[in-house]
């Protein structure tokens, strides 16, 4: 069985950075499941399909031609790496992610990312729904203000437009929607190590996570 480590948490909690760092350290694959929801939101908007058409939304999500190559993301052959990182794309993702048919359409696709020697998967329901048997589960949080500040810095670095007060509000809105939806809501899976990262650096979070991974898979560190 392929080993899986899940890292779940709210928007901007740093799970993407930690997941990528961990995957690199272990030489494992990495699944950014949020990207699949962002791509679904973008593909649906481009096709003019709205939330009131769940069957069509699921068809679009399940049939997108997606390629992850050299750190970039391609949708139907077009490089959409920047487009899917905007706040608008994040909010569109959060909306389509609340549609049960869309989640079902992406489920097996996400599971197929698990291949030897192992997978680090980040998202909202990686440990609870997609990989319930994962050997290590992490739940990463940080205050909404800190997460908004991190997102602000990220967007600025990418040369995208950002407003801090607006980001705090959007983050609270997205938390609310992601935590209260009926299917696979954001919550710490049973047995997860909870890491509150507001006051921690990336290296400090990674250290706590690695300790947990070392306990679960000592052979990886011999
Ligand atoms: O992690 P992210 O910000 O890129 O995710 C964008 C949205 O996608 C998020 O607001 C909720 C949704 N999502 C989800 O519902 N389940 C996941 N496993 C990952 C993301």
């Amino acid at each position: 069985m392929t080993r899986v480590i899940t890292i779940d948490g709210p928007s901007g909690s740093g799970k993407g950075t930690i997941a990528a760092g961990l995957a690199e350290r272990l030489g494992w694959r990495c699944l950014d499941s949020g990207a699949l929801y962002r791509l679904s939101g973008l593909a649906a908007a481009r096709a003019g399909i709205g939330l009131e058409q769940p069957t069509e939304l699921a068809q679009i999500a399940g049939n997108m031609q997606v390629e992850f190559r050299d750190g970039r993301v391609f949708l139907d052959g077009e490089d959409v790496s920047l487009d899917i990182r905007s706040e608008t794309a994040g909010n569109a993702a959060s909306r389509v992610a609340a549609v049960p048919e869309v989640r079902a359409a992406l489920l097996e696709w996400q599971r197929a990312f698990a291949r030897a020697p192992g997978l680090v998967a980040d998202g909202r329901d990686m440990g609870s729904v997609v990989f319930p048997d994962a050997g290590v589960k992490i739940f990463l949080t940080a205050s909404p203000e800190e997460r908004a500040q991190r997102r602000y810095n990220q967007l600025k670095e990418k040369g995208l437009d950002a407003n801090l007060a607006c980001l705090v509000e959007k983050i609270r809105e997205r938390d609310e929607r992601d935590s209260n939806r009926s299917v696979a809501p954001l919550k710490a899976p049973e047995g997860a190590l909870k890491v509150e990262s507001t006051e921690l650096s990336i290296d400090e979070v990674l250290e706590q996570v690695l300790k947990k991974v070392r306990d679960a898979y000592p052979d990886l560190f011999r």
Side-chain angles (χ1 to χ4, degrees):
M1 253 213 356
T2 307
R3 288 167 165 180
V4 177
I5 297 172
T6 60
I7 305 186
D8 289 302
S11 171
S13 57
K15 49 188 195 321
T17 307
I18 298 299
L22 187 60
E24 195 183 331
R25 188 94 160 230
L26 299 173
W28 290 11
R29 298 183 90 199
C30 190
L31 165 64
D32 167 9
S33 63
L36 297 182
Y37 287 97
R38 286 170 183 267
L39 287 160
S40 303
L42 182 64
R46 288 183 171 181
I49 304 294
L51 292 173
E52 68 294 347
Q53 295 165 277
T55 311
E56 288 81 355
L57 276 181
Q59 255 166 15
I60 289 205
N63 293 307
M64 302 181 292
Q65 293 302 313
V66 175
E67 212 186 326
F68 294 96
R69 197 187 341 127
D70 306 327
R72 307 205 68 79
V73 188
F74 297 82
L75 173 62
D76 299 326
E78 184 194 340
D79 186 347
V80 293
S81 316
L82 266 186
D83 309 65
I84 62 162
R85 289 297 145 206
S86 70
E87 283 310 293
T88 311
N91 279 304
S94 167
R95 285 175 210 281
V96 297
V99 177
E101 290 86 345
V102 170
R103 304 201 74 83
L106 295 179
L107 188 60
E108 290 310 319
W109 188 1
Q110 294 174 89
R111 288 184 176 151
F113 277 82
R115 286 195 221 132
L119 176 73
V120 182
D122 87 71
R124 303 293 187 291
D125 62 342
M126 296 295 100
S128 56
V129 175
V130 182
F131 300 108
D133 299 326
V136 176
K137 299 181 184 184
I138 310 289
F139 193 75
L140 198 53
T141 59
S143 71
E145 291 75 17
E146 171 66 17
R147 289 187 280 126
Q149 183 66 54
R150 290 177 189 171
R151 187 66 95 201
Y152 178 87
N153 297 344
Q154 265 177 5
L155 290 169
K156 284 284 170 192
E157 261 170 40
K158 288 188 174 136
L160 294 169
D161 231 8
N163 172 299
L164 189 57
C166 192
L167 283 175
V168 175
E169 194 175 319
K170 289 267 182 246
I171 275 199
R172 286 188 195 280
E173 218 177 85
R174 192 124 71 92
D175 282 359
E176 172 85 12
R177 195 181 313 114
D178 293 346
S179 308
N180 294 317
R181 66 182 176 221
S182 58
V183 209
L186 168 69
K187 65 166 197 274
E190 216 170 295
L193 169 71
K194 291 186 193 160
V195 182
E196 214 293 317
S197 75
T198 305
E199 306 284 334
L200 301 179
S201 67
I202 292 169
D203 283 346
E204 287 168 328
V205 175
L206 205 47
E207 202 177 300
Q208 288 195 28
V209 171
L210 276 169
K211 187 175 176 308
K212 176 92 177 169
V213 175
R214 202 174 284 124
D215 290 346
Y217 303 127
D219 58 294
L220 292 177
F221 297 86
R222 271 187 211 123

